[in-house]
């Protein structure tokens, strides 16, 4: 089928092309789409070069699906135009996530909500995706009451500018290089931790923190789940980590929890204290699964579990999840 990738030259767009190729998504014609200044540039896909086209040219070409990763304002402007042309849009920005008329989908959790009438489908926030993949099998069994999550998020979640800042600071510190580098953050990120992701809201939380609160309930289809989050940027090149404390309505057996997670789609349990095995961002790099470990009972209150969740934020947290949505639509004949 004909497939458009909007934002094809960005960090996530490039990863989307890589994932589409790796998973052999059935593409008869690729339409890489980017901003006007990138139109005409070459993008490589499966050994073939494709010219970047404009938004209007992409709509005129009538692809079956358009996977967007071009920012919220671009999605708000252009996704409805693609949709009105009969093109199914899978959007990676925050533009449509909390729109009550749009589905917010993580295939392992709630793909079954999708229908052929859904022409704009929202891809959730990266930190939310990995958490709900791990929480879903436990919620079905024990019923989640409350989640306390602290994130340790990679600079790749901010984009290329943040990667350049980190490496510029690192090169200056290690090799004494004084080359110019951009500042994606207000503060240095190398050898530092920044407890702010996105802008602050009136309630004192950041936009990223409130995304996790609201998106979790929408994806899991349960507004009774209470979530509180602290999201933090750390000097890691790829992969988000999360410390998650989950209170259930019903008690659990730790071995049963490990069994449920081990058999859950998209989850790999790495949890062996004797050999010091636990998930780390470097092990999740370029992998599509969500890795879970440090599973232990919270000894301060009943029915409560502590867990550590790690995933590649550019893959499962963005590109792979979007492609999996497209794969589901194909498998169910919804495109």
């Amino acid at each position: 089928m004909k497939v458009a990738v909007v934002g094809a030259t960005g960090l996530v767009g490039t990863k989307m092309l890589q994932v589409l190729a790796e998973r052999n998504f059935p593409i008869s014609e690729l339409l890489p789409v980017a901003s006007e200044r990138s139109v005409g540039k070459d993008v490589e896909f499966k050994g073939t070069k494709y010219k970047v086209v404009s938004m209007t040219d992409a709509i005129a070409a009538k692809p079956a699906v358009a996977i967007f990763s071009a920012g919220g304002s671009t999605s708000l402007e252009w996704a409805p135009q693609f949709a009105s042309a009969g093109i199914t849009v899978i959007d990676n920005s925050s533009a449509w996530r909390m729109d009550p008329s749009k589905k917010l989908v993580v295939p392992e959790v709630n793909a079954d909500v999708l229908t052929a009438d859904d022409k704009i489908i929202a891809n959730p926030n990266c930190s939310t995706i990995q958490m709900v993949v791990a929480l879903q099998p436990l919620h079905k069994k024990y019923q989640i009451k409350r989640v306390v999550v602290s994130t340790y998020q990679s600079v790749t979640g901010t984009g290329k500018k943040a990667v350049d800042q980190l490496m510029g600071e690192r090169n200056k510190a290690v090799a004494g290089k004084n080359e110019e580098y951009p500042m994606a953050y207000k503060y240095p990120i190398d050898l530092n931790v920044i407890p702010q992701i996105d802008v602050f809201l009136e309630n004192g939380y950041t936009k990223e923190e409130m995304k996790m609160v609201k998106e979790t309930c929408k994806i899991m289809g349960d507004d009774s789940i209470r979530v509180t989050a602290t999201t933090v940027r750390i000097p890691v090149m790829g992969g988000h980590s999360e410390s998650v404390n989950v209170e259930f309505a019903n008690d659990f057996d730790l071995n049963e929890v490990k069994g449920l997670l081990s058999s859950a789609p998209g989850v790999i349990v790495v949890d062996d204290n004797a050999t010091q095995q636990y998930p780390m961002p470097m092990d999740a790099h370029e992998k599509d699964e969500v890795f879970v470990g440090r599973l232990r009972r919270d000894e301060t209150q009943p029915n409560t579990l502590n867990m550590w969740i790690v995933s590649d934020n550019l893959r499962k947290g963005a590109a792979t999840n979007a492609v999996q949505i497209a794969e589901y639509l194909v498998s169910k004949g919804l495109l």
Side-chain angles (χ1 to χ4, degrees), residues 38-78:
S38 295
V39 170
K41 289 183 179 176
D42 285 331
V43 167
E44 192 168 310
F45 179 74
K46 285 191 168 182
T48 302
K49 284 188 165 58
Y50 294 84
K51 294 285 184 193
V52 172
V53 301
S54 67
M55 293 283 199
T56 50
D57 286 346
I59 294 171
K62 289 282 176 74
V65 63
I67 306 178
F68 271 60
S69 186
S73 58
T74 302
S75 292
L76 285 171
E77 180 183 356
W78 287 99

Side-chain angles (χ1 to χ4, degrees), residues 29-241:
E29 184 183 341
L30 176 72
L31 298 163
V33 188
S35 61
E36 288 295 333
R37 67 177 180 274
S38 295
V39 170
K41 289 183 179 176
D42 285 331
V43 167
E44 192 168 310
F45 179 74
K46 285 191 168 182
T48 302
K49 284 188 165 58
Y50 294 84
K51 294 285 184 193
V52 172
V53 301
S54 67
M55 293 283 199
T56 50
D57 286 346
I59 294 171
K62 289 282 176 74
V65 63
I67 306 178
F68 271 60
S69 186
S73 58
T74 302
S75 292
L76 285 171
E77 180 183 356
W78 287 99
Q81 296 183 51
F82 276 75
S84 63
I87 302 160
T88 300
V89 172
I90 301 168
D91 181 51
N92 193 56
S93 79
S94 59
W96 306 100
R97 290 174 185 159
M98 295 314 299
D99 184 324
S101 69
K102 305 293 184 285
K103 309 287 174 58
L104 183 66
V105 175
V106 176
E108 294 91 339
V109 180
N110 67 333
D112 59 351
V113 300
L114 291 171
T115 70
D117 294 330
D118 293 310
K119 288 302 177 190
I120 299 177
I121 302 163
N123 205 37
N125 185 42
C126 48
S127 47
T128 308
I129 289 174
Q130 66 186 69
M131 185 171 77
V132 298
V133 168
L135 291 183
Q136 176 67 5
L138 304 181
H139 181 51
K140 281 168 70 175
K141 179 71 177 178
Y142 308 114
Q143 194 184 340
I144 294 171
K145 289 175 65 178
R146 182 171 185 256
V147 178
V148 182
V149 54
S150 298
T151 71
Y152 305 71
Q153 293 180 227
S154 157
V155 295
T156 56
T158 305
K160 185 179 182 300
K161 188 177 180 181
V163 173
D164 291 343
Q165 178 184 336
L166 172 60
M167 295 318 297
E169 291 168 353
R170 179 66 52 92
N171 288 337
K172 186 175 180 181
V174 174
K177 294 180 182 176
N178 280 313
E179 300 148 346
E180 285 294 310
Y181 54 84
M183 289 292 286
Y185 306 114
K186 183 179 178 179
Y187 303 103
I189 185 63
D190 192 32
L191 300 177
N192 195 24
V193 165
I194 302 174
Q196 176 190 354
I197 298 179
D198 214 325
V199 296
F200 283 105
L201 304 173
E202 283 186 9
N203 63 357
Y205 287 82
T206 65
K207 204 170 176 182
E208 181 88 354
E209 288 159 354
M210 294 313 296
K211 283 178 192 174
M212 294 194 75
V213 172
K214 293 172 182 173
E215 290 179 23
T216 299
C217 293
K218 183 172 179 178
I219 297 162
M220 298 183 76
D222 190 340
D223 287 336
S224 73
I225 299 172
R226 293 173 297 154
V227 181
T228 186
T230 303
T231 58
V232 180
R233 193 70 70 188
I234 63 169
V236 165
M237 190 58 80
H240 289 351
S241 304

Side-chain angles (χ1 to χ4, degrees), residues 1-4 20 25-29 62-67 82-83 85-91 114-121 322-335:
M1 68 181 62
K2 202 180 286 187
V3 176
L20 284 165
F25 191 82
I27 297 177
S28 57
E29 184 183 341
K62 289 282 176 74
V65 63
I67 306 178
F82 276 75
I87 302 160
T88 300
V89 172
I90 301 168
D91 181 51
L114 291 171
T115 70
D117 294 330
D118 293 310
K119 288 302 177 190
I120 299 177
I121 302 163
V323 173
Q324 286 175 318
I325 292 171
E327 289 173 340
Y328 179 85
L329 294 172
V330 171
S331 72
K332 298 296 181 183
L334 300 176
L335 282 178

